[in-house]
Amino acid sequence: MNESSIPHMQGPICPLPIKSYEQIVMGHGAGGKMTQDLIRQYFVPNFSNPFLLEGNDFSFVQTHQSGRIVVSTDAHIVSPLFFPGGDIGRLAVSGTVNDLAMSGGIPLGLTASFILEEGFSISTLEKIIVSMAATAQEAGVPIVAGDTKVVEKGKADGIFISTSGVAWVPDHLHIGGAFAQPGDTVLISGTLGDHGIAVLSARGELGLETEIKSDVAPLNHLVQSIVQYTRNVHVLRDPTRGGLATTLNEIAVQSQVGIILNESSIPVDPVVGSTCEMLGFDPLYVANEGKMIVFVPANEANGVLDVMRSQKFGENAAIIGRVESTPTGKVLLKTIIGGTRLLDVMSGEMLPRIC
Amino acid sequence: MNESSIPHMQGPICPLPIKSYEQIVMGHGAGGKMTQDLIRQYFVPNFSNPFLLEGNDFSFVQTHQSGRIVVSTDAHIVSPLFFPGGDIGRLAVSGTVNDLAMSGGIPLGLTASFILEEGFSISTLEKIIVSMAATAQEAGVPIVAGDTKVVEKGKADGIFISTSGVAWVPDHLHIGGAFAQPGDTVLISGTLGDHGIAVLSARGELGLETEIKSDVAPLNHLVQSIVQYTRNVHVLRDPTRGGLATTLNEIAVQSQVGIILNESSIPVDPVVGSTCEMLGFDPLYVANEGKMIVFVPANEANGVLDVMRSQKFGENAAIIGRVESTPTGKVLLKTIIGGTRLLDVMSGEMLPRIC
């Protein structure tokens, strides 16, 4: 399974001329000359970095002699491939960068494996690769290894991308879903539901056009600004599939605490809000791809809020709730009209193929 | 993209009863209650380990305070999913364990991302998960994080699995495709072509039944036995897609050396050999999934051969060739009848969806 892995390209020294194609054919996944051509022509020039160019099936990442190593992975199957504010390439890089960053650590490198459908347009593939490379550059995280496979026409949907990565976490940080404590304040980095509504809109399933753009973005710099301001961060998590409500339920269960949200404080773009209302969606259950939840002790909350608001992807950050010891494993919403309701985990299908 | 990642399961503490299904439905990929049910019911009990159970979108792996970290990834799309000697689960674990192991390092943890087709049988999924867990146990490498996505019926082919992983390489080892040197001896760990022929046979494409079993296996223990015997190892690589010939060409180019093989020394199972002859395949270009190539200085070769032959997956190991300074970037085969021919990189498609 190694021959088409990206590190295997010998770009500068391969003696054979590259043959170009307009569409993916089965031979592009066979691990021979055609696979090498595809990789040398599109992946190498875009993803180029010293780690990638070593030419093995494994790739080194930057080494640290203290701290801990974390890993993460995600498959990306979003449909359509391009949507307002992003595409599957930006999503694939941001998704894994963000999962890694939620450890408080610094992502060291990503890997990417591609499943391509026979007949897929190579110019579309190139656009996606360029977007991945730009997002990786924006995040400052190199794509160090990869793999390419091809399946027959009709056996996939154009392109699927699985990314994984590794990050370094310094010894002094202890951040995770199990570390929420009664007395913590809950912050969100910006408006909710933008990604899900942007993808639905691009799919033409809304029956209307919206100007909503996906928020898809790498959040590792925002995370670093927070953990450099204070080591006293308990939980970081990005509310993706299932939205804020599902993610907070997971944290409430992991930490065995109750989470109380103030509906009036939760930022929602007015267009997203009205679109959701029209369609019967709740923005608290709609996916985000460039937002993060932060749990810190109450005395750190205002300082962290200021730090977040000073950052590109945290401008609309807000304090949205607090942690209490009960009801254990539950999330409650104090509604705008003064009531309290239970926010449950999303059940079943809401928005398929959103990421 | 985090909510259905395997670490997110809260298996022991989730308060809701698990609902069972016979087939994958879209909701299993939506990140809510159904995704959690799938994960709690099938992934948690099989993959269970302390790293996985921490419940975040990232997962820690074992930490070392010296050495270097390597990463690798592979997508797996083999068809059929089950074949003599293995299945897509054993392949997905072995493939990434082997890519990591070829650094000489010790794999610390794997991640797995699943793309499932709506309607896929959950009992088949369970068989695959059980096989992955058994192979991970055999390798001694935990599966520490994962992700599950679902696409509509007809948009994938049952199941695709991307695995990635991280390994620790001690400072004293410097193994890679660029380190072959004139004077090195080339060894192979066993017979060639078994995996490719086993998969073709299972597909019914041979027009005949064979008793050939795939060699798919994790080779990390075999690698450790070699690097514990001698630090003086230059290249390790598993000849997967494209087979021995393509892999050696890559190494010849990376190291800028010539590689000379003795055809009479290359181990091929007689049934694989005769099947290949009948079908017009060359076993040197057929994929292997449990074999490795070893380059060591000539004076280490017999010792390494003995070590390999003492190991489960190295019983049929053999010395098959040597490295010379020329012809640079080429692989030559000394044939049984006394001639010499150039062994080129495989061009185009030979055996689609073999891994």
Side-chain angles (χ1 to χ4, degrees):
Chain A
M1 272 157 307
N2 48 5
E3 290 75 3
S4 81
S5 64
I6 293 171
H8 254 200
M9 319 172 230
Q10 303 109 20
I13 47 173
C14 184
L16 300 170
I18 292 174
K19 188 168 169 197
S20 285
Y21 290 81
E22 292 190 354
Q23 292 190 324
I24 293 292
V25 299
M26 292 303 291
H28 282 129
K33 170 79 171 58
M34 291 180 65
T35 307
Q36 289 186 7
D37 284 353
L38 185 74
I39 289 168
R40 287 160 61 205
Q41 194 166 8
Y42 299 104
F43 292 97
V44 172
N46 284 294
F47 291 168
S48 185
N49 61 67
F51 302 108
L52 182 61
L53 289 173
E54 286 180 7
N56 294 300
D57 290 328
F58 54 85
S59 181
F60 289 97
V61 295
Q62 196 188 340
T63 301
H64 293 260
Q65 301 303 355
S66 67
R68 292 152 294 155
I69 293 293
V70 294
V71 296
S72 188
T73 192
D74 263 323
H76 301 87
I77 57 162
V78 68
S79 173
L81 300 174
F82 298 84
F83 46 82
D87 58 75
I88 191 172
R90 183 168 177 81
L91 190 63
V93 170
S94 300
T96 291
V97 165
N98 292 350
D99 279 350
L100 291 169
M102 298 306 140
S103 67
I106 296 172
L108 302 176
L110 300 181
T111 68
S113 78
F114 297 82
I115 296 172
L116 303 172
E117 184 187 8
E118 182 185 19
F120 188 64
S121 153
I122 288 189
S123 73
T124 305
L125 175 63
E126 188 174 18
K127 276 184 208 152
I128 292 166
I129 292 171
V130 166
S131 173
M132 290 182 78
T135 311
Q137 176 118 31
E138 179 182 344
V141 184
I143 297 172
V144 297
D147 183 52
T148 309
K149 295 289 193 313
V150 178
V151 296
E152 303 88 341
K153 198 161 181 63
K155 299 295 187 184
D157 195 11
I159 181 170
F160 301 138
I161 307 175
S162 287
T163 47
S164 64
V166 55
W168 173 77
V169 184
D171 284 320
H172 65 263
L173 293 179
H174 298 281
I175 296 169
F179 301 142
Q181 291 177 20
D184 280 356
T185 295
V186 181
L187 299 93
I188 185 80
S189 63
T191 55
L192 292 170
D194 304 23
H195 175 74
I197 297 301
V199 172
L200 275 194
S201 173
R203 237 184 250 170
E205 288 183 9
L206 297 187
L208 75 166
E209 293 278 311
T210 74
E211 59 215 22
I212 293 296
K213 282 187 181 170
S214 167
D215 57 351
V216 57
L219 298 176
N220 53 321
H221 299 309
L222 180 59
V223 168
Q224 285 308 304
S225 70
I226 295 169
V227 298
Q228 279 162 21
Y229 169 76
T230 175
R231 298 177 172 201
N232 210 357
V233 176
H234 294 162
V235 183
L236 300 173
R237 189 166 292 175
D238 51 339
T240 54
R241 279 186 298 180
L244 179 73
T246 303
T247 305
L248 287 178
N249 267 281
E250 294 172 354
I251 295 166
V253 171
Q254 275 184 274
S255 292
Q256 290 290 285
V257 296
I259 298 173
I260 321 297
L261 296 183
N262 297 309
E263 186 175 22
S264 61
S265 315
I266 299 174
V268 177
D269 179 282
V271 180
V272 171
S274 59
T275 306
C276 281
E277 203 170 338
M278 201 160 37
L279 297 167
F281 290 147
D282 182 338
L284 303 190
Y285 289 87
V286 177
N288 312 278
E289 292 292 347
K291 295 294 155 36
M292 60 188 285
I293 304 164
V294 182
F295 285 56
V296 290
N299 63 356
E300 299 274 15
N302 286 318
V304 168
L305 182 66
D306 288 344
V307 167
M308 291 173 76
R309 286 186 170 164
S310 74
Q311 297 287 312
K312 186 175 174 190
F313 297 124
E315 287 169 3
N316 298 311
I319 290 173
I320 58 170
R322 65 182 189 280
V323 179
E324 300 197 348
S325 55
T326 57
T328 306
K330 304 284 183 200
V331 181
L332 298 180
L333 185 73
K334 299 267 184 198
T335 64
I336 292 171
I337 56 168
T340 299
R341 70 176 171 94
L342 189 69
L343 270 189
D344 205 350
V345 175
M346 185 178 73
S347 60
E349 172 189 355
M350 182 167 170
L351 305 173
R353 298 189 60 184
I354 216 75
C355 59
Chain B
M1 274 157 300
N2 49 6
E3 291 76 3
S4 83
S5 63
I6 293 172
H8 254 199
M9 327 174 222
Q10 304 107 22
I13 48 173
C14 185
L16 300 171
I18 292 173
K19 188 169 169 194
S20 285
Y21 289 81
E22 291 191 354
Q23 292 189 325
I24 292 292
V25 299
M26 292 303 290
H28 282 128
K33 170 79 171 59
M34 290 179 64
T35 307
Q36 290 186 7
D37 284 353
L38 185 73
I39 289 168
R40 288 160 61 204
Q41 193 166 7
Y42 299 104
F43 292 96
V44 171
N46 283 295
F47 291 169
S48 185
N49 61 66
F51 302 108
L52 182 61
L53 289 174
E54 286 180 7
N56 294 300
D57 290 329
F58 54 85
S59 182
F60 288 97
V61 294
Q62 197 189 338
T63 301
H64 293 259
Q65 300 303 354
S66 67
R68 293 151 294 156
I69 292 292
V70 295
V71 296
S72 189
T73 192
D74 263 324
H76 301 87
I77 58 163
V78 67
S79 173
L81 300 175
F82 297 84
F83 46 82
D87 58 76
I88 191 173
R90 183 168 177 82
L91 190 63
V93 170
S94 300
T96 291
V97 164
N98 292 349
D99 281 350
L100 291 170
M102 298 305 139
S103 67
I106 295 172
L108 303 175
L110 300 180
T111 67
S113 76
F114 297 83
I115 296 172
L116 304 173
E117 183 187 9
E118 183 184 18
F120 187 63
S121 153
I122 289 189
S123 73
T124 306
L125 175 63
E126 188 175 18
K127 275 184 208 152
I128 292 166
I129 292 172
V130 167
S131 173
M132 291 181 76
T135 311
Q137 175 119 29
E138 179 182 345
V141 184
I143 298 172
V144 297
D147 184 51
T148 309
K149 295 290 193 310
V150 179
V151 296
E152 303 87 341
K153 196 161 182 65
K155 299 295 186 184
D157 195 11
I159 181 170
F160 301 139
I161 306 175
S162 288
T163 47
S164 64
V166 56
W168 173 78
V169 184
D171 284 321
H172 66 261
L173 292 179
H174 298 280
I175 296 170
F179 301 141
Q181 290 176 21
D184 280 357
T185 295
V186 182
L187 299 93
I188 185 78
S189 62
T191 55
L192 292 169
D194 305 22
H195 176 73
I197 297 301
V199 172
L200 275 194
S201 173
R203 237 185 251 168
E205 287 183 10
L206 296 187
L208 74 166
E209 294 278 312
T210 74
E211 58 215 24
I212 294 295
K213 283 188 179 170
S214 166
D215 57 350
V216 56
L219 299 176
N220 53 320
H221 298 311
L222 179 59
V223 168
Q224 285 308 304
S225 70
I226 296 169
V227 299
Q228 279 163 21
Y229 169 77
T230 175
R231 298 177 172 200
N232 210 358
V233 176
H234 294 163
V235 184
L236 300 173
R237 191 167 289 174
D238 51 340
T240 55
R241 279 186 297 181
L244 179 74
T246 304
T247 305
L248 287 178
N249 266 281
E250 295 172 353
I251 295 167
V253 171
Q254 275 184 275
S255 291
Q256 290 291 286
V257 296
I259 298 173
I260 321 298
L261 295 184
N262 298 309
E263 187 175 22
S264 61
S265 315
I266 299 174
V268 177
D269 179 283
V271 180
V272 171
S274 59
T275 305
C276 280
E277 202 169 340
M278 200 159 37
L279 298 167
F281 290 147
D282 182 339
L284 303 189
Y285 289 88
V286 177
N288 312 279
E289 293 292 348
K291 296 293 155 36
M292 59 187 286
I293 303 164
V294 182
F295 285 55
V296 290
N299 63 356
E300 300 275 15
N302 285 319
V304 168
L305 182 65
D306 289 343
V307 167
M308 292 172 76
R309 285 186 171 167
S310 74
Q311 296 287 311
K312 185 176 174 190
F313 297 123
E315 288 169 3
N316 298 312
I319 290 173
I320 58 171
R322 65 183 189 278
V323 179
E324 300 198 348
S325 56
T326 57
T328 305
K330 304 284 183 200
V331 181
L332 298 180
L333 184 73
K334 299 267 185 199
T335 63
I336 291 170
I337 56 169
T340 300
R341 70 178 171 91
L342 189 68
L343 270 188
D344 205 350
V345 175
M346 185 178 73
S347 60
E349 172 190 356
M350 182 165 168
L351 304 173
R353 298 189 60 185
I354 216 75
C355 58

